Amino acid sequence: GRIAAQTAKQVIMQTIREAERENVFQEFKDKKGDLVTGIVQRFEKGDVIVTLGKSEAILPVQEQIPKESFSLRERVKAYIVEVRKSTKGPQVLLSRTHPGLLIKLFELEVPEVSEGIVKIRCVAREPGSRAKIAVESSDPRVDPVGACVGNRGNRVQNVVHELRGEKIDIIPWNQDTARFACSALAP
């Protein structure tokens, strides 16, 4: 009868929705710690909902750079902090304040970093105002600071532009803690 057909339809639709949610979870569970580019879809209580292909991700207020504003349909790069299952389906949490975002941006911009010739040893950030990264080269012929800065500061300027004017200091890594601290504190 009609009621049995309606019940069967609801069961089938529910199974399809659960399968779609599981596919989204499987797609993003291995991408934790990756850099993604999405499009701003809408705003909910300060959180920004970003579309990543067919699925949505959340950029919470506490993970946004202070004084940063977004407009609808704007492209935004963010770092995947966590992928978790919830009652409403999988939730992909993004961040623009995580130090990993800075590392991933440098990997994109500096070929020596992505190839592993230059290693980013540590990152310290005050999101929105300044950041410091310590770099080390495995090849003695490659200057790690110069590679990250680029020709006329080109490479670092692209990262600064993406982070909306955050000042980035690049310092050479040193095993000696005292020397490393001195170079990190130098203006």
Side-chain angles (χ1 to χ4, degrees), residues 21-34 36 52 55-58 79-86 89-94:
R21 288 179 184 151
E22 186 60 31
N23 282 347
V24 170
F25 180 75
Q26 292 300 325
E27 180 184 348
F28 284 101
K29 74 174 185 176
D30 298 329
K31 291 188 177 182
K32 183 180 174 185
D34 282 358
V36 289
L52 304 173
S55 56
E56 290 184 340
I58 301 169
Y79 184 81
I80 298 178
V81 179
E82 187 179 357
V83 181
R84 63 179 174 214
K85 284 188 176 181
S86 70
Q91 279 192 324
V92 180
L93 294 175
L94 303 176

mmCIF file of all heavy atoms in Angstrom, residues 21-34 36 52 55-58 79-86 89-94:
data_model
loop_
_atom_site.group_PDB
_atom_site.id
_atom_site.type_symbol
_atom_site.label_atom_id
_atom_site.label_comp_id
_atom_site.label_asym_id
_atom_site.label_seq_id
_atom_site.Cartn_x
_atom_site.Cartn_y
_atom_site.Cartn_z
ATOM 1 N N ARG A 21 27.384 10.626 3.697
ATOM 2 C CA ARG A 21 28.133 11.128 4.854
ATOM 3 C C ARG A 21 29.403 10.303 5.080
ATOM 4 O O ARG A 21 30.457 10.857 5.388
ATOM 5 C CB ARG A 21 27.268 11.097 6.108
ATOM 6 C CG ARG A 21 26.191 12.139 6.115
ATOM 7 C CD ARG A 21 25.367 12.044 7.376
ATOM 8 N NE ARG A 21 24.269 12.981 7.355
ATOM 9 C CZ ARG A 21 23.123 12.799 7.970
ATOM 10 N NH1 ARG A 21 22.922 11.695 8.672
ATOM 11 N NH2 ARG A 21 22.171 13.712 7.911
ATOM 12 N N GLU A 22 29.288 9.003 4.947
ATOM 13 C CA GLU A 22 30.442 8.124 5.133
ATOM 14 C C GLU A 22 31.492 8.390 4.061
ATOM 15 O O GLU A 22 32.690 8.396 4.345
ATOM 16 C CB GLU A 22 30.001 6.654 5.107
ATOM 17 C CG GLU A 22 31.090 5.669 5.443
ATOM 18 C CD GLU A 22 31.689 5.854 6.829
ATOM 19 O OE1 GLU A 22 30.983 6.291 7.755
ATOM 20 O OE2 GLU A 22 32.892 5.563 6.980
ATOM 21 N N ASN A 23 31.056 8.647 2.818
ATOM 22 C CA ASN A 23 31.996 8.972 1.739
ATOM 23 C C ASN A 23 32.751 10.260 2.039
ATOM 24 O O ASN A 23 33.960 10.335 1.814
ATOM 25 C CB ASN A 23 31.263 9.107 0.395
ATOM 26 C CG ASN A 23 30.923 7.757 -0.212
ATOM 27 O OD1 ASN A 23 31.424 6.726 0.227
ATOM 28 N ND2 ASN A 23 30.059 7.772 -1.207
ATOM 29 N N VAL A 24 32.048 11.275 2.549
ATOM 30 C CA VAL A 24 32.690 12.543 2.897
ATOM 31 C C VAL A 24 33.706 12.318 4.009
ATOM 32 O O VAL A 24 34.831 12.815 3.937
ATOM 33 C CB VAL A 24 31.635 13.601 3.324
ATOM 34 C CG1 VAL A 24 32.305 14.821 3.924
ATOM 35 C CG2 VAL A 24 30.786 13.996 2.138
ATOM 36 N N PHE A 25 33.331 11.540 5.023
ATOM 37 C CA PHE A 25 34.255 11.257 6.120
ATOM 38 C C PHE A 25 35.493 10.526 5.611
ATOM 39 O O PHE A 25 36.622 10.873 5.965
ATOM 40 C CB PHE A 25 33.565 10.442 7.217
ATOM 41 C CG PHE A 25 34.461 10.126 8.380
ATOM 42 C CD1 PHE A 25 34.779 11.104 9.304
ATOM 43 C CD2 PHE A 25 35.003 8.859 8.540
ATOM 44 C CE1 PHE A 25 35.628 10.828 10.369
ATOM 45 C CE2 PHE A 25 35.844 8.579 9.601
ATOM 46 C CZ PHE A 25 36.155 9.556 10.517
ATOM 47 N N GLN A 26 35.302 9.500 4.753
ATOM 48 C CA GLN A 26 36.426 8.738 4.216
ATOM 49 C C GLN A 26 37.336 9.617 3.352
ATOM 50 O O GLN A 26 38.554 9.449 3.347
ATOM 51 C CB GLN A 26 35.934 7.540 3.385
ATOM 52 C CG GLN A 26 35.247 6.470 4.193
ATOM 53 C CD GLN A 26 36.143 5.866 5.265
ATOM 54 O OE1 GLN A 26 37.335 5.714 5.090
ATOM 55 N NE2 GLN A 26 35.556 5.518 6.400
ATOM 56 N N GLU A 27 36.723 10.580 2.637
ATOM 57 C CA GLU A 27 37.503 11.462 1.771
ATOM 58 C C GLU A 27 38.419 12.378 2.579
ATOM 59 O O GLU A 27 39.558 12.621 2.213
ATOM 60 C CB GLU A 27 36.552 12.314 0.919
ATOM 61 C CG GLU A 27 37.257 13.268 -0.010
ATOM 62 C CD GLU A 27 36.291 14.178 -0.764
ATOM 63 O OE1 GLU A 27 35.074 13.925 -0.734
ATOM 64 O OE2 GLU A 27 36.776 15.146 -1.359
ATOM 65 N N PHE A 28 37.928 12.890 3.716
ATOM 66 C CA PHE A 28 38.678 13.894 4.463
ATOM 67 C C PHE A 28 39.445 13.366 5.666
ATOM 68 O O PHE A 28 40.279 14.078 6.208
ATOM 69 C CB PHE A 28 37.741 15.030 4.918
ATOM 70 C CG PHE A 28 37.384 15.954 3.806
ATOM 71 C CD1 PHE A 28 36.166 15.858 3.165
ATOM 72 C CD2 PHE A 28 38.282 16.911 3.369
ATOM 73 C CE1 PHE A 28 35.833 16.700 2.128
ATOM 74 C CE2 PHE A 28 37.966 17.762 2.332
ATOM 75 C CZ PHE A 28 36.738 17.655 1.706
ATOM 76 N N LYS A 29 39.205 12.118 6.110
ATOM 77 C CA LYS A 29 39.877 11.634 7.320
ATOM 78 C C LYS A 29 41.391 11.563 7.159
ATOM 79 O O LYS A 29 42.130 11.765 8.105
ATOM 80 C CB LYS A 29 39.313 10.288 7.770
ATOM 81 C CG LYS A 29 39.732 9.119 6.925
ATOM 82 C CD LYS A 29 39.267 7.816 7.508
ATOM 83 C CE LYS A 29 39.827 6.682 6.672
ATOM 84 N NZ LYS A 29 39.540 5.395 7.175
ATOM 85 N N ASP A 30 41.877 11.301 5.927
ATOM 86 C CA ASP A 30 43.319 11.224 5.679
ATOM 87 C C ASP A 30 43.925 12.583 5.345
ATOM 88 O O ASP A 30 45.131 12.706 5.222
ATOM 89 C CB ASP A 30 43.604 10.247 4.536
ATOM 90 C CG ASP A 30 43.144 8.836 4.859
ATOM 91 O OD1 ASP A 30 43.163 8.478 6.054
ATOM 92 O OD2 ASP A 30 42.753 8.103 3.935
ATOM 93 N N LYS A 31 43.098 13.604 5.177
ATOM 94 C CA LYS A 31 43.590 14.930 4.791
ATOM 95 C C LYS A 31 43.849 15.836 5.985
ATOM 96 O O LYS A 31 44.129 17.017 5.810
ATOM 97 C CB LYS A 31 42.595 15.603 3.837
ATOM 98 C CG LYS A 31 42.538 14.936 2.482
ATOM 99 C CD LYS A 31 41.703 15.722 1.521
ATOM 100 C CE LYS A 31 41.725 15.086 0.148
ATOM 101 N NZ LYS A 31 40.954 15.867 -0.824
ATOM 102 N N LYS A 32 43.756 15.298 7.197
ATOM 103 C CA LYS A 32 44.049 16.102 8.384
ATOM 104 C C LYS A 32 45.489 16.604 8.286
ATOM 105 O O LYS A 32 46.411 15.829 8.048
ATOM 106 C CB LYS A 32 43.857 15.266 9.639
ATOM 107 C CG LYS A 32 44.066 16.039 10.907
ATOM 108 C CD LYS A 32 43.867 15.167 12.124
ATOM 109 C CE LYS A 32 44.230 15.936 13.364
ATOM 110 N NZ LYS A 32 44.173 15.134 14.555
ATOM 111 N N GLY A 33 45.677 17.914 8.440
ATOM 112 C CA GLY A 33 46.999 18.496 8.323
ATOM 113 C C GLY A 33 47.327 18.973 6.919
ATOM 114 O O GLY A 33 48.455 19.355 6.645
ATOM 115 N N ASP A 34 46.340 18.979 6.031
ATOM 116 C CA ASP A 34 46.557 19.450 4.664
ATOM 117 C C ASP A 34 46.029 20.865 4.489
ATOM 118 O O ASP A 34 45.198 21.333 5.267
ATOM 119 C CB ASP A 34 45.848 18.537 3.651
ATOM 120 C CG ASP A 34 46.597 17.247 3.386
ATOM 121 O OD1 ASP A 34 47.684 17.075 3.967
ATOM 122 O OD2 ASP A 34 46.094 16.427 2.602
ATOM 123 N N VAL A 36 43.794 23.308 2.197
ATOM 124 C CA VAL A 36 42.705 23.215 1.227
ATOM 125 C C VAL A 36 42.251 24.617 0.834
ATOM 126 O O VAL A 36 42.395 25.568 1.608
ATOM 127 C CB VAL A 36 41.499 22.418 1.776
ATOM 128 C CG1 VAL A 36 41.817 20.952 1.881
ATOM 129 C CG2 VAL A 36 41.015 22.961 3.089
ATOM 130 N N LEU A 52 34.034 22.852 0.127
ATOM 131 C CA LEU A 52 35.214 22.156 -0.410
ATOM 132 C C LEU A 52 34.714 21.123 -1.416
ATOM 133 O O LEU A 52 34.467 19.983 -1.060
ATOM 134 C CB LEU A 52 35.994 21.461 0.701
ATOM 135 C CG LEU A 52 36.464 22.308 1.875
ATOM 136 C CD1 LEU A 52 37.065 21.416 2.945
ATOM 137 C CD2 LEU A 52 37.461 23.344 1.424
ATOM 138 N N SER A 55 31.441 18.948 -0.443
ATOM 139 C CA SER A 55 31.177 18.948 0.994
ATOM 140 C C SER A 55 31.455 20.318 1.601
ATOM 141 O O SER A 55 32.033 21.189 0.966
ATOM 142 C CB SER A 55 32.022 17.876 1.679
ATOM 143 O OG SER A 55 33.374 18.099 1.388
ATOM 144 N N GLU A 56 31.028 20.457 2.855
ATOM 145 C CA GLU A 56 31.207 21.724 3.570
ATOM 146 C C GLU A 56 32.142 21.538 4.751
ATOM 147 O O GLU A 56 32.232 20.451 5.322
ATOM 148 C CB GLU A 56 29.859 22.246 4.069
ATOM 149 C CG GLU A 56 28.949 22.725 2.970
ATOM 150 C CD GLU A 56 27.652 23.319 3.497
ATOM 151 O OE1 GLU A 56 27.286 23.037 4.663
ATOM 152 O OE2 GLU A 56 27.002 24.052 2.734
ATOM 153 N N ALA A 57 32.829 22.620 5.104
ATOM 154 C CA ALA A 57 33.722 22.627 6.259
ATOM 155 C C ALA A 57 33.426 23.874 7.077
ATOM 156 O O ALA A 57 32.853 24.839 6.574
ATOM 157 C CB ALA A 57 35.166 22.613 5.810
ATOM 158 N N ILE A 58 33.825 23.841 8.351
ATOM 159 C CA ILE A 58 33.565 24.959 9.257
ATOM 160 C C ILE A 58 34.889 25.622 9.631
ATOM 161 O O ILE A 58 35.842 24.950 10.014
ATOM 162 C CB ILE A 58 32.866 24.459 10.538
ATOM 163 C CG1 ILE A 58 31.539 23.778 10.190
ATOM 164 C CG2 ILE A 58 32.627 25.612 11.507
ATOM 165 C CD1 ILE A 58 30.919 23.029 11.344
ATOM 166 N N TYR A 79 43.747 25.380 6.794
ATOM 167 C CA TYR A 79 44.437 24.162 7.242
ATOM 168 C C TYR A 79 43.403 23.254 7.895
ATOM 169 O O TYR A 79 42.620 23.711 8.747
ATOM 170 C CB TYR A 79 45.511 24.588 8.238
ATOM 171 C CG TYR A 79 46.398 23.495 8.764
ATOM 172 C CD1 TYR A 79 47.471 23.028 8.032
ATOM 173 C CD2 TYR A 79 46.175 22.953 10.021
ATOM 174 C CE1 TYR A 79 48.304 22.041 8.526
ATOM 175 C CE2 TYR A 79 46.998 21.964 10.533
ATOM 176 C CZ TYR A 79 48.061 21.515 9.776
ATOM 177 O OH TYR A 79 48.881 20.544 10.278
ATOM 178 N N ILE A 80 43.361 21.987 7.516
ATOM 179 C CA ILE A 80 42.411 21.052 8.126
ATOM 180 C C ILE A 80 42.963 20.609 9.476
ATOM 181 O O ILE A 80 43.990 19.946 9.547
ATOM 182 C CB ILE A 80 42.153 19.826 7.224
ATOM 183 C CG1 ILE A 80 41.521 20.259 5.899
ATOM 184 C CG2 ILE A 80 41.256 18.819 7.938
ATOM 185 C CD1 ILE A 80 41.270 19.131 4.933
ATOM 186 N N VAL A 81 42.261 21.006 10.543
ATOM 187 C CA VAL A 81 42.699 20.692 11.903
ATOM 188 C C VAL A 81 42.152 19.346 12.352
ATOM 189 O O VAL A 81 42.855 18.545 12.958
ATOM 190 C CB VAL A 81 42.232 21.788 12.891
ATOM 191 C CG1 VAL A 81 42.650 21.468 14.296
ATOM 192 C CG2 VAL A 81 42.759 23.129 12.486
ATOM 193 N N GLU A 82 40.872 19.115 12.046
ATOM 194 C CA GLU A 82 40.226 17.920 12.577
ATOM 195 C C GLU A 82 39.074 17.495 11.671
ATOM 196 O O GLU A 82 38.398 18.334 11.074
ATOM 197 C CB GLU A 82 39.693 18.231 13.981
ATOM 198 C CG GLU A 82 39.156 17.056 14.730
ATOM 199 C CD GLU A 82 38.655 17.428 16.122
ATOM 200 O OE1 GLU A 82 38.769 18.591 16.533
ATOM 201 O OE2 GLU A 82 38.115 16.527 16.776
ATOM 202 N N VAL A 83 38.872 16.184 11.567
ATOM 203 C CA VAL A 83 37.714 15.626 10.879
ATOM 204 C C VAL A 83 37.052 14.693 11.876
ATOM 205 O O VAL A 83 37.667 13.743 12.344
ATOM 206 C CB VAL A 83 38.125 14.846 9.602
ATOM 207 C CG1 VAL A 83 36.907 14.295 8.895
ATOM 208 C CG2 VAL A 83 38.938 15.722 8.679
ATOM 209 N N ARG A 84 35.801 15.006 12.226
ATOM 210 C CA ARG A 84 35.130 14.170 13.232
ATOM 211 C C ARG A 84 33.708 13.855 12.809
ATOM 212 O O ARG A 84 33.086 14.594 12.054
ATOM 213 C CB ARG A 84 35.155 14.854 14.594
ATOM 214 C CG ARG A 84 34.417 16.166 14.651
ATOM 215 C CD ARG A 84 34.461 16.758 16.043
ATOM 216 N NE ARG A 84 33.858 18.079 16.020
ATOM 217 C CZ ARG A 84 34.246 19.089 16.761
ATOM 218 N NH1 ARG A 84 35.248 18.940 17.600
ATOM 219 N NH2 ARG A 84 33.650 20.248 16.692
ATOM 220 N N LYS A 85 33.219 12.742 13.324
ATOM 221 C CA LYS A 85 31.836 12.348 13.050
ATOM 222 C C LYS A 85 30.937 12.982 14.100
ATOM 223 O O LYS A 85 31.271 13.012 15.281
ATOM 224 C CB LYS A 85 31.700 10.828 13.102
ATOM 225 C CG LYS A 85 32.259 10.126 11.890
ATOM 226 C CD LYS A 85 31.911 8.653 11.908
ATOM 227 C CE LYS A 85 32.398 7.989 10.650
ATOM 228 N NZ LYS A 85 32.073 6.578 10.601
ATOM 229 N N SER A 86 29.791 13.473 13.653
ATOM 230 C CA SER A 86 28.802 14.015 14.584
ATOM 231 C C SER A 86 27.432 13.491 14.166
ATOM 232 O O SER A 86 27.303 12.774 13.174
ATOM 233 C CB SER A 86 28.831 15.546 14.568
ATOM 234 O OG SER A 86 28.330 16.028 13.353
ATOM 235 N N GLY A 89 26.415 14.358 10.710
ATOM 236 C CA GLY A 89 27.327 13.906 9.665
ATOM 237 C C GLY A 89 28.748 14.326 9.991
ATOM 238 O O GLY A 89 29.015 14.882 11.050
ATOM 239 N N PRO A 90 29.680 14.089 9.073
ATOM 240 C CA PRO A 90 31.078 14.438 9.346
ATOM 241 C C PRO A 90 31.288 15.949 9.382
ATOM 242 O O PRO A 90 30.669 16.681 8.615
ATOM 243 C CB PRO A 90 31.833 13.804 8.186
ATOM 244 C CG PRO A 90 30.832 13.642 7.111
ATOM 245 C CD PRO A 90 29.513 13.469 7.768
ATOM 246 N N GLN A 91 32.127 16.394 10.291
ATOM 247 C CA GLN A 91 32.475 17.804 10.394
ATOM 248 C C GLN A 91 33.952 17.961 10.092
ATOM 249 O O GLN A 91 34.790 17.316 10.713
ATOM 250 C CB GLN A 91 32.194 18.342 11.798
ATOM 251 C CG GLN A 91 30.761 18.703 12.053
ATOM 252 C CD GLN A 91 30.627 19.479 13.345
ATOM 253 O OE1 GLN A 91 31.338 19.222 14.306
ATOM 254 N NE2 GLN A 91 29.705 20.414 13.368
ATOM 255 N N VAL A 92 34.260 18.830 9.136
ATOM 256 C CA VAL A 92 35.639 19.154 8.798
ATOM 257 C C VAL A 92 35.914 20.521 9.406
ATOM 258 O O VAL A 92 35.273 21.507 9.050
ATOM 259 C CB VAL A 92 35.855 19.180 7.263
ATOM 260 C CG1 VAL A 92 37.301 19.511 6.933
ATOM 261 C CG2 VAL A 92 35.458 17.854 6.645
ATOM 262 N N LEU A 93 36.857 20.565 10.366
ATOM 263 C CA LEU A 93 37.193 21.823 11.028
ATOM 264 C C LEU A 93 38.449 22.416 10.402
ATOM 265 O O LEU A 93 39.466 21.736 10.292
ATOM 266 C CB LEU A 93 37.404 21.607 12.527
ATOM 267 C CG LEU A 93 36.167 21.181 13.311
ATOM 268 C CD1 LEU A 93 36.526 20.891 14.749
ATOM 269 C CD2 LEU A 93 35.108 22.248 13.250
ATOM 270 N N LEU A 94 38.353 23.699 10.023
ATOM 271 C CA LEU A 94 39.461 24.398 9.389
ATOM 272 C C LEU A 94 40.065 25.409 10.342
ATOM 273 O O LEU A 94 39.444 25.785 11.331
ATOM 274 C CB LEU A 94 38.972 25.131 8.126
ATOM 275 C CG LEU A 94 38.289 24.278 7.067
ATOM 276 C CD1 LEU A 94 37.780 25.163 5.939
ATOM 277 C CD2 LEU A 94 39.241 23.240 6.528
#
